[in-house]
Amino acid sequence: MGKRIFSILILTSFLLVSCVDSHRSMKEVVFVMDTIVTLDVRDHANEKLLKKMTDRLMEIDSLMSFSKEESDIYQVNHAKGESVLVDSSTYYVVKKAVEYTQMSGGCFDPSIGRLVALWGIGSDDEHVPSIKEIEEVVETIGLDKISLSEPNSISLMDGTMIDVGAIAKGFAADEMIRIAKEAGVESAIFNLGGNISVLGSKGSDSFRIGIRNPFSESDEYFGIVEVTDTSVVTSGNYERYFIDESGVKYHHILDPFSGYPADNELSGVTVICSSSIKADAFSTALYVMGLEKGLAFIEQMDDMEAIFVTNSRDVYLSTGLQTSFLLCDDSFRIPE
Ligand code: AMP
Ligand code: MG
């Protein structure tokens, strides 16, 4: 009898623990990949899972950093044309980058590394390079300078450097979703420095994601999208920039053709896509394309939607967002 009660007690406490576990939510904020990352796991959370996620973020950073000497990207960039065997994740990211370069007609291009380094925007050495320097470095950009060979080898033309800074956070966000799903998580939201990915929904509601106001110094938003199971990624000229003595602003999204920061009427572009690496690549690519070409491009894509904000606060939406985007700041307008 005593034994039976004991067994029932054990069973009850086991059920309680598993019940509590599946509902357990946890939030963690870490600084990694040069940005603030918030991991908000809304069910099935535990310390081990959060640690697995933060470890993976650190691993991606140490593989794909442009500046860390031990990274795969650094090794490839300093191999003087030799082939380098890289981690399969690095290979996947570079291979995807090549695919997105082709799709975007070169507006997004990972072989832009030397140009990024030359401008140094966001570093201690940010400056306007000479026209000669820019012309020389633009010559090092192009897909014909990158060779990939299966399974995991990359070589570059001597003098070319790759930078996956425009998509590494997107890849990392996809990895967070993968790890969460594998652990049985049904609802989560990950924010990697403004690069947001959501898993499932928020109870019976969608997640409401604010779209950052590009003219605000703080994290204010001008609009909201309601989403489930997708990623929302924004690129803008307000993220990293410097202003020279004559008051000209130079920002970090570079036009691979001109060698200068993309100079058009846009202040920000947001892409919504279930693949965060793709959303990340195309938020950068559409910014470089500019409003007209960018809108025409996105309308041909079945799996992506976009929001374009101009310097004069006009907001343009791709067709799939016309009914699901909510403007909540009346200093912006959606032109007819
Ligand atoms: P994002 O904030 O995702 O738009 O990425 C911007 C970062 O990507 C920059 O800081 C550079 O490291 C790199 N980058 C800038 N312009 C380009 C470009 N046209 N194609 C690929 N990467 C770029
Ligand atoms: Mg990007």
Side-chain angles (χ1 to χ4, degrees):
M1 182 68 176
K3 212 170 165 189
R4 197 161 156 228
I5 291 176
F6 185 63
S7 316
I8 290 172
L9 271 177
I10 289 189
L11 184 66
T12 320
S13 50
F14 173 74
L15 285 176
L16 271 177
V17 168
S18 53
C19 181
V20 168
D21 258 0
S22 71
H23 287 101
R24 187 164 174 210
S25 66
M26 279 178 80
K27 204 170 176 175
E28 180 135 344
V29 182
V30 279
F31 188 84
V32 60
M33 300 180 82
D34 241 356
T35 199
I36 297 168
V37 173
T38 308
L39 306 170
D40 186 357
V41 179
R42 297 169 44 80
D43 57 73
H44 292 85
N46 56 61
E47 282 80 9
K48 212 171 139 199
L49 174 63
L50 272 287
K51 174 150 185 344
K52 190 172 180 186
M53 289 176 166
T54 51
D55 283 353
R56 182 64 177 140
L57 291 171
M58 287 189 277
E59 184 180 31
I60 294 169
D61 188 28
S62 63
L63 289 171
M64 299 181 203
S65 156
F66 186 80
S67 54
K68 290 185 176 154
E69 292 190 15
E70 71 279 8
S71 84
D72 278 347
I73 298 297
Y74 189 96
Q75 295 301 321
V76 170
N77 285 341
H78 295 84
K80 299 192 185 326
E82 295 295 317
S83 183
V84 176
L85 184 65
V86 296
D87 186 272
S88 57
S89 296
T90 312
Y91 191 81
Y92 170 83
V93 168
V94 175
K95 196 172 167 185
K96 281 284 170 195
V98 167
E99 182 187 322
Y100 301 142
T101 308
Q102 285 158 341
M103 285 174 70
S104 69
C107 288
F108 166 88
D109 191 327
S111 64
I112 202 161
R114 278 195 56 200
L115 190 67
V116 174
L118 178 66
W119 280 89
I121 295 170
S123 75
D124 296 340
D125 184 36
E126 52 191 14
H127 68 285
V128 182
S130 71
I131 293 173
K132 189 166 169 285
E133 284 173 312
I134 289 179
E135 281 174 355
E136 272 172 20
V137 169
V138 164
E139 289 299 307
T140 70
I141 301 173
L143 280 194
D144 55 327
K145 281 72 175 185
I146 306 177
S147 302
L148 300 181
S149 65
E150 303 282 344
N152 296 320
S153 294
I154 304 175
S155 67
L156 302 176
M157 191 195 76
D158 192 11
T160 292
M161 288 187 176
I162 50 173
D163 173 10
V164 293
I167 57 169
K169 278 189 276 171
F171 171 69
D174 287 337
E175 285 291 275
M176 295 302 100
I177 297 285
R178 179 185 63 78
I179 294 169
K181 273 186 180 167
E182 278 173 13
V185 176
E186 286 166 9
S187 175
I189 177 162
F190 304 113
N191 184 345
L192 285 75
N195 184 328
I196 294 162
S197 279
V198 306
L199 172 61
S201 52
K202 199 173 179 184
S204 53
D205 298 324
S206 308
F207 283 101
R208 289 163 63 85
I209 308 295
I211 308 298
R212 164 93 195 252
N213 176 346
F215 309 105
S216 157
E217 288 295 313
S218 58
D219 273 352
E220 285 171 43
Y221 52 90
F222 68 91
I224 290 170
V225 281
E226 293 197 355
V227 293
T228 50
D229 282 316
T230 199
S231 183
V232 181
V233 180
T234 302
S235 285
N237 61 11
Y238 54 88
E239 285 173 291
R240 242 179 297 149
Y241 62 87
F242 71 94
I243 296 172
D244 75 359
E245 331 58 77
S246 48
V248 180
K249 177 175 175 176
Y250 297 93
H251 63 84
H252 73 139
I253 304 169
L254 304 173
D255 180 333
F257 302 101
S258 70
Y260 285 82
D263 184 17
N264 55 43
E265 68 271 65
L266 293 175
S267 52
V269 180
T270 300
V271 173
I272 300 164
C273 177
S274 61
S275 156
S276 191
I277 189 171
K278 192 169 187 182
D280 204 358
F282 283 93
S283 63
T284 311
L286 295 180
Y287 190 98
V288 174
M289 278 182 209
L291 178 62
E292 207 177 315
K293 277 194 194 153
L295 260 176
F297 178 89
I298 205 75
E299 291 298 19
Q300 291 175 347
M301 297 284 133
D302 295 337
D303 60 343
M304 289 191 277
E305 301 295 338
I307 302 163
F308 300 79
V309 188
T310 70
N311 294 325
S312 45
R313 294 179 181 247
D314 287 337
V315 179
Y316 291 85
L317 306 168
S318 61
T319 313
L321 287 176
Q322 308 277 344
T323 51
S324 55
F325 173 82
L326 184 73
L327 190 68
C328 51
D329 179 335
D330 58 14
S331 69
F332 290 79
R333 61 181 202 114
I334 301 177
E336 291 298 305

